[in-house]
Amino acid sequence: MKRQHEQRWAVTSSFSETLRNATWADHESAESDGYLSALMAGRLTEHDYGEMVAQHYFAYTALDGVSRELAGHPVAGRFVFPELYREQALERDLATIYGPGWRERITPSKATRTLVARIHQVADWPGGYVAHHYTRYLGDLSGGQFIRMELQKIYGYAKGGGVDFYIFDDLGSLPRFKTEYRSRLDALGQDLDDREQQRMIAEVRLAYQLNTEVLSDLRHLVKTAA
Ligand code: HEM
């Protein structure tokens, strides 16, 4: 593990591929988190699922807010897509899960506050902003689609609230959008020198770590079999 942290990544292929390869081990840690595994196995109550949705709400309020601010930025602005904004979808999901009083019952965990602080901290560094943007949105458009199907089976949600967070109707074809997104990453990579590329890779790794800590914080909801 230590070796991996010290590793420098040779940017031989496209930058989007390098980014993916350099951070895939971090993806594995996020994906195999105990809370997510229990959620996918149908072992959590609807309110337990709502705890993750609530944490998403705080993180995406920050990410979407920063995106709005950066919409006109010559570099970061290339990654701003209003169709990706998740705040309203998350509000519908929370209202479905907890009812109209949802706002009173949600609070950000310590891990979420750390993630949100980092998103704000790197907002004036385009590579940092894109690192957090990529880690969340490209994940939601990829594994997130699998998660949505599982959640629909488990809790019986229909469109309109419950899993709207994972529904990106305004984007059109998701594979086509992801291809376009990766070509924007490749173009960004061409504008960055080696040091800046490595710095961005490190920020994606940190983004994975901070997001995984948000999930780890929810592990107390997983009841071990008696
Ligand atoms: C049950 C949990 C998860 C599953 C099953 C899963 C699965 C996947 C799969 C199959 C892909 C590849 C899709 C493709 O090639 O188009 C992918 C991509 C991705 N996932 Fe996940 N994922 C999970 C959780 C997460 C989490 C928690 C995060 C972030 C915190 C995340 C971030 C990403 C990102 C950024 C990509 C895009 C990588 C790239 O192609 O550059 N995933 N995921």
Side-chain angles (χ1 to χ4, degrees):
M1 195 63 188
K2 190 159 185 291
R3 259 183 62 111
Q4 203 184 34
H5 275 285
E6 288 162 358
Q7 195 166 347
R8 283 177 61 76
W9 293 91
V11 185
T12 47
S13 48
S14 64
F15 186 54
S16 61
E17 251 178 84
T18 304
L19 201 55
R20 182 193 168 106
N21 294 340
T23 61
W24 200 245
D26 303 282
H27 180 274
E28 300 294 297
S29 312
E31 190 184 344
S32 56
D33 173 83
Y35 171 87
L36 262 190
S37 305
L39 182 66
M40 292 297 93
R43 287 170 46 215
L44 298 181
T45 67
E46 190 181 5
H47 282 189
D48 293 342
Y49 159 57
E51 298 279 344
M52 180 177 76
V53 181
Q55 300 314 311
H56 280 158
Y57 178 72
F58 295 108
Y60 282 82
T61 301
L63 203 49
D64 291 355
V66 169
S67 297
R68 279 191 199 92
E69 283 166 24
L70 291 174
H73 190 282
V75 179
R78 291 182 225 153
F79 293 86
V80 174
F81 298 90
E83 302 90 327
L84 288 177
Y85 295 165
R86 294 293 87 192
E87 207 177 323
Q88 286 177 3
L90 285 162
E91 287 180 0
R92 288 195 298 277
D93 292 342
L94 285 164
T96 300
I97 297 163
Y98 292 128
W102 64 269
R103 265 181 213 276
E104 279 73 55
R105 63 168 295 163
I106 65 165
T107 44
S109 66
K110 189 163 174 286
T112 296
R113 280 185 272 123
T114 306
L115 170 64
V116 166
R118 186 64 187 168
I119 290 169
H120 286 299
Q121 199 176 18
V122 296
D124 60 354
W125 165 37
Y129 162 71
V130 176
H132 286 269
H133 191 277
Y134 159 81
T135 308
R136 282 305 335 179
Y137 294 113
L138 215 58
D140 302 331
L141 296 172
S142 306
Q145 298 308 301
F146 164 78
I147 296 174
R148 172 176 61 84
M149 285 187 285
E150 294 304 302
L151 291 173
Q152 281 177 320
K153 272 189 249 161
I154 295 166
Y155 302 110
Y157 294 127
K159 207 184 275 187
V163 284
D164 278 11
F165 168 71
Y166 299 100
I167 299 175
F168 292 88
D169 280 348
D170 295 342
L171 273 188
S173 153
L174 299 194
R176 201 175 322 130
F177 179 82
K178 287 201 295 183
T179 303
E180 170 62 26
Y181 192 98
R182 290 194 178 104
S183 69
R184 289 184 189 215
L185 283 175
D186 294 340
L188 174 68
Q190 281 174 358
D191 290 345
L192 304 177
D193 62 19
D194 181 61
R195 192 178 151 272
E196 220 4 61
Q197 288 191 352
Q198 301 296 332
R199 202 174 153 224
M200 197 177 145
I201 290 169
E203 189 65 30
V204 170
R205 302 199 63 198
L206 178 63
Y208 268 119
Q209 190 189 320
L210 296 177
N211 277 282
T212 305
E213 279 163 17
V214 171
L215 294 173
S216 302
D217 245 28
L218 299 173
R219 259 188 227 161
H220 65 277
L221 298 167
V222 181
K223 282 114 199 138
T224 42

